[in-house]
Amino acid sequence: MKKNFFVILAMIISLSACDFQSRADFEKEIATAEKKQDKDFVMPDITYKKAGEEEIDTAREKSEDDLDLENLYGSGKSGKNLNPADAVGNIVDTNVGDSQIGISLRPSSQRAGAYSTILSYKRNNELTEREFGPVTGITGINTTVSFDKINSESGPMLLVSQVTVDNGETYSVYYLFNKFMSLMDNLVFRTSVNDTSPTVERLGDVVEYTDQAIPGSLDQAITNRMEAEARYLPSMLDIYGVKHRPLTSLYDNRQMDLGYLPDITGEDRILITRTTTTTQNMGMNIDIEK
């Protein structure tokens, strides 16, 4: 039976898109955590208050305090069907409101031999990095990561979205930052062939899971995750007029809907990276498109 609840942990959880636990470890954590639950509690809707007049996102002048992204990561390149080893380095150096951001391709810190996209920015005058991926370097993986600029009454915001099918595991993440690169909201969805029922996290709290695993096919795992995405994403994106659309891609030698991405095109799409789709050697090359 599905339960909606908050699990309150005594530790601070670091919100990083690359910190995905195994299903077994996650369920152990749930089982051992003290459950403080009110059955009549209903998760509140998240809304955002007006913080001023809408700003025009003009180009920010460079300053001596800016990150030297090419010095940090080297110079990367964009294109299709790239060998990731040849594309490593900084791809984008831009700004969102008052914040400089960089997007680079680097070897993954989570999976040996894999490559991920790295979002870099300064917070409290310190370099902050968030890993989104892996995108390539793993046989049987299909990942898409999009970086989009959206408008709000308080200024431009950054939305990072990721959809991944990694053999029998599936997950998706959505991160929303304000113009100061403070995290405003995030959602994480997971399913697998070992448990096709979705686990949903919001800002570090588990808001949906089942206490009994339901094994099934990969198709069912993806379908159930997408149904959960469709339930939660509007509460995150509708206030900004952002809709979502299915991501259709080649997997298991057939075209499949793998998850949802924001329906954003044109100049507001800063970058999209994805696993090069192929019927042979799937997961080893990458497409990087500005």
Side-chain angles (χ1 to χ4, degrees):
M1 178 178 179
K2 189 76 65 175
K3 300 178 181 178
N4 291 322
F5 70 105
F6 285 101
V7 175
I8 302 176
L9 302 180
M11 61 182 177
I12 297 175
I13 299 175
S14 174
L15 291 171
S16 174
C18 58
D19 293 334
F20 293 106
Q21 299 169 287
S22 69
R23 190 79 186 194
D25 290 343
F26 178 78
E27 290 173 349
K28 287 179 183 178
E29 181 177 306
I30 293 297
T32 57
E34 181 180 2
K35 296 183 178 179
K36 298 179 180 180
Q37 179 181 354
D38 182 353
K39 294 182 179 180
D40 296 324
F41 183 81
V42 178
M43 180 182 176
D45 291 334
I46 293 181
T47 58
Y48 300 89
K49 295 182 179 180
K50 183 174 180 179
E53 297 301 320
E54 184 172 354
E55 299 178 6
I56 299 173
D57 183 24
T58 57
R60 184 181 54 86
E61 292 184 2
K62 296 289 184 181
S63 77
E64 60 182 15
D65 294 327
D66 281 354
L67 295 170
D68 187 344
L69 295 165
E70 285 200 11
N71 185 54
L72 283 169
Y73 305 114
S75 180
K77 68 178 182 179
S78 58
K80 291 190 175 184
N81 198 20
L82 299 172
N83 181 333
D86 297 333
V88 167
N90 177 245
I91 310 296
V92 169
D93 180 354
T94 188
N95 62 287
V96 174
D98 298 332
S99 302
Q100 177 197 15
I101 67 165
I103 306 169
S104 307
L105 182 70
R106 294 186 65 189
S108 171
S109 65
Q110 301 296 307
R111 301 276 289 272
Y115 295 82
S116 296
T117 48
I118 307 297
L119 174 65
S120 307
Y121 53 94
K122 275 189 174 181
R123 283 283 294 159
N124 299 321
N125 212 34
E126 297 287 337
L127 172 65
T128 299
E129 296 178 324
R130 291 181 182 266
E131 179 175 346
F132 293 89
V135 181
T136 186
I138 301 170
T139 301
I141 198 170
N142 185 319
T143 292
T144 297
V145 184
S146 65
F147 299 83
D148 297 302
K149 193 179 294 185
I150 63 176
N151 296 316
S152 73
E153 292 180 334
S154 59
M157 305 179 78
L158 177 67
L159 174 63
V160 186
S161 311
Q162 175 181 336
V163 174
T164 294
V165 177
D166 184 359
N167 296 289
E169 301 282 334
T170 94
Y171 51 87
S172 58
V173 300
Y174 307 86
Y175 276 63
L176 185 63
F177 302 89
N178 68 12
K179 64 182 180 179
F180 305 111
M181 291 306 293
S182 297
L183 183 64
M184 301 299 293
D185 201 357
N186 104 299
L187 285 164
V188 180
F189 304 86
R190 317 179 215 231
T191 59
S192 71
V193 295
N194 295 322
D195 190 355
T196 59
S197 56
T199 295
V200 183
E201 299 170 45
R202 190 166 207 163
L203 290 171
D205 290 319
V206 179
V207 296
E208 184 176 320
Y209 92 112
T210 53
D211 51 11
Q212 184 173 359
I214 304 175
S217 67
L218 181 63
D219 284 25
Q220 191 61 56
I222 293 171
T223 296
N224 290 356
R225 173 173 50 76
M226 290 184 67
E227 288 176 352
E229 290 168 4
R231 290 197 301 274
Y232 285 90
L233 283 176
S235 67
M236 182 182 192
L237 301 179
D238 277 7
I239 191 172
Y240 306 109
V242 176
K243 303 302 180 183
H244 54 275
R245 59 175 174 79
L247 167 66
T248 303
S249 184
L250 182 70
Y251 196 80
D252 197 22
N253 294 324
R254 57 197 172 99
Q255 292 290 323
M256 302 172 62
D257 286 345
L258 300 184
Y260 286 106
L261 285 183
D263 191 10
I264 294 175
T265 58
E267 293 182 357
D268 288 335
R269 172 137 293 169
I270 300 170
L271 189 75
I272 187 165
T273 65
R274 52 191 164 213
T275 312
T276 301
T277 55
T278 176
T279 56
Q280 295 181 339
N281 209 27
M282 178 76 176
M284 302 313 293
N285 282 4
I286 188 170
D287 298 341
I288 304 174
E289 300 179 49
K290 294 184 180 181

